[in-house]
Amino acid sequence: MSRLKAEHLYKVFGRRPEAAVQRLEDGASREELRADGTTAAVIDASFEVEAGQIFVVMGLSGSGKSTLLRMLNGLLEPTSGRVLYDGRDLTGLSPAELREVRSRNISMVFQHFALFPHRSVLENAAYGLEVRGVPRAERLEHAAEALELAGLKGWESSWPDELSGGMQQRVGLARALATDADLLLMDESFSALDPLIRRDMQDQLLDLQKRLKKTIVFITHDLNEAMRLGDRIAVMRDGRIVQNGTAEDILVRPANDYVASFIQDVDRSRVLTAGSIMAEPAAGAAAAVAPDGTTTVSAETPVAELFSPFSRSGSPVAVTDDSGEVTGVVTRDRLLAALADQPNVGRPDAEQPDAEQPNAEASDDEAPNADRDVTPEEVPAPLAPASGPEVTTHA
């Protein structure tokens, strides 16, 4: 069962919102509703978020992403549709029941920090527990632990105006962590930060996620941030989700020209992985172990980390699983083809991101040997071992 599920969510502002939803279902456009004084902020949004997953919703200003987020915890009531948390329909709860869910199960991190200037850093981090009614000594203890996780140990007695913007956002993150909520909603939480601080906060979030395994819905308008953080990404335009898939799905198979325009400046080598561009082993070779001297990488190794072994040798690189068995091979032709490949806009499989997708492949003219299956026995040893934490060489 998914941790969070949205089913056909609509949010319409203006007169007769229910009638407007019916018009949208009958094919009316957002512009037609606007002409009548009605704004459709979110239109038929559906998705699922698995436990422990970072689900990123990306779109430009006015696309409906923040409105969608506020429907997930009941800050905005959907005009139509349902939100389910662990199978429980949040849209059917009473106000008191909804407040209880928000205080214990769902926390939110805002873009503009929302810290109390008259409270210390520790008291700000403890605020969610205070609302819940947790005794002071206990809530301060949990808040101190959360501040340490967020990298603010030693700043407990400081005031918010004594902190930098990045540190203030860490306090907001600590406040969400202190409640020990399973679901974190983050509304452009890093967008107001300088680029270097923003990168540092992204690193902090990924590090915390490795340890805590929270379920996170993260809102952003920055595609590079979305691709760096998201296990899955939903792209919104004019209130609708136009594509929902992994970073590789969106990069290699954008659903339409709008999505393709977003990804045109993305560094493909930082998103694509060895597993997404490898050639499948020949029949009967999948369980083979890479020969001695063969450079091996995991399927999750970014393509950018394959340049080092290929710069020393033209020999293919074996892709192995956790047990050391070869699951595929990356040749130099496949590496170059993947970097030069153009997105396949609007392919049918781009609209079905949950389905198994083929690996990115080059045309016959670009790489004549790229599509041929390669057996591990055909992989010669490289001229020199590769360096880097993700790349290993069998002695």
Side-chain angles (χ1 to χ4, degrees):
M1 179 188 297
S2 58
R3 175 59 48 86
L4 181 70
K5 185 176 184 180
E7 293 184 343
H8 305 290
L9 286 178
Y10 288 81
K11 184 58 182 179
V12 177
F13 297 97
R15 298 174 299 175
R16 303 179 61 199
E18 292 80 10
V21 169
Q22 185 61 54
R23 290 181 61 191
L24 289 167
E25 292 176 341
D26 292 340
S29 68
R30 199 185 194 197
E31 290 70 26
E32 290 174 325
L33 267 64
R34 187 180 294 117
D36 295 334
T38 304
T39 300
V42 175
I43 304 171
D44 197 21
S46 297
F47 59 86
E48 296 185 28
V49 185
E50 300 299 325
Q53 194 175 65
I54 299 180
F55 184 83
V56 176
V57 182
M58 186 196 71
L60 299 178
S61 296
S63 62
K65 55 189 186 297
S66 292
T67 301
L68 174 63
L69 186 77
R70 281 160 171 73
M71 287 193 287
L72 299 181
N73 67 350
L75 290 179
L76 287 176
E77 183 180 356
T79 307
S80 179
R82 299 196 305 166
V83 176
L84 289 87
Y85 175 79
D86 281 345
R88 187 183 186 187
D89 185 1
L90 301 186
T91 56
L93 300 182
S94 68
E97 291 172 328
L98 190 56
R99 286 193 296 271
E100 180 71 11
V101 170
R102 284 202 294 256
S103 69
R104 295 185 178 276
N105 305 114
I106 304 176
S107 286
M108 193 163 183
V109 183
F110 300 91
Q111 177 179 356
H112 296 294
F113 318 143
L115 303 182
F116 294 108
H118 62 287
R119 292 178 178 236
S120 68
V121 166
L122 183 63
E123 290 168 336
N124 267 284
Y127 180 70
L129 295 174
E130 180 180 344
V131 172
R132 189 190 296 176
V134 176
R136 177 178 174 80
E138 182 181 348
R139 68 175 182 257
L140 293 182
E141 179 183 355
H142 288 305
E145 293 172 354
L147 286 169
E148 183 174 359
L149 282 174
L152 287 176
K153 185 176 182 179
W155 292 88
E156 294 87 350
S157 299
S158 301
W159 300 99
D161 61 2
E162 297 176 326
L163 308 184
S164 67
M167 295 172 75
Q168 290 184 48
Q169 190 57 281
R170 288 174 188 267
V171 178
L173 181 58
R175 180 174 55 198
L177 295 175
T179 65
D180 198 29
D182 293 324
L183 177 62
L184 300 183
L185 305 180
M186 305 185 70
D187 188 10
E188 301 212 47
S189 301
F190 305 153
S191 296
L193 304 177
D194 293 335
L196 291 179
I197 300 176
R198 185 174 187 171
R199 176 86 178 187
D200 186 50
M201 288 300 301
Q202 292 169 3
D203 290 339
Q204 180 83 32
L205 180 63
L206 291 172
D207 180 63
L208 287 172
Q209 181 65 357
K210 287 180 182 178
R211 288 184 279 168
L212 303 179
K213 301 297 183 184
K214 299 292 185 180
T215 304
I216 301 173
V217 179
F218 191 97
I219 303 296
T220 184
H221 61 265
D222 185 334
L223 180 63
N224 287 311
E225 182 170 68
M227 296 231 167
R228 185 160 190 254
L229 297 178
D231 296 306
R232 295 188 70 82
I233 302 169
V235 182
M236 292 192 72
R237 183 187 188 188
D238 294 337
R240 298 182 184 273
I241 294 177
V242 295
Q243 187 166 2
N244 179 1
T246 65
E248 290 180 5
D249 290 330
I250 291 171
L251 184 62
V252 178
R253 292 172 287 274
N256 53 37
D257 290 334
Y258 176 77
V259 179
S261 69
F262 265 107
I263 67 171
Q264 60 185 356
D265 295 325
V266 172
D267 184 354
R268 298 169 67 85
S269 69
R270 298 291 177 183
V271 178
L272 298 177
T273 62
S276 69
I277 69 169
M278 68 183 184
E280 298 293 335
V289 176
D292 290 343
T294 300
T295 300
T296 64
V297 298
S298 69
E300 293 76 27
T301 301
V303 163
E305 296 183 20
L306 300 181
F307 296 143
S308 179
F310 279 116
S311 70
R312 294 173 171 84
S313 170
S315 301
V317 173
V319 181
T320 60
D321 58 19
D322 293 339
S323 64
E325 296 181 350
V326 174
T327 58
V329 175
V330 177
T331 64
R332 176 176 289 184
D333 286 334
R334 293 190 74 87
L335 175 63
L336 296 177
L339 295 178
D341 195 18
Q342 295 299 313
N344 299 301
V345 180
R347 276 178 46 175
D349 54 7
E351 300 175 2
Q352 302 175 17
D354 291 326
E356 183 176 351
Q357 306 293 357
N359 294 322
E361 297 176 349
S363 66
D364 292 340
D365 292 337
E366 291 176 322
N369 297 318
D371 296 331
R372 182 175 65 85
D373 288 340
V374 182
T375 64
E377 290 77 10
E378 294 180 276
V379 181
L383 297 179
S387 60
E390 297 289 339
V391 180
T392 59
T393 303
H394 291 278

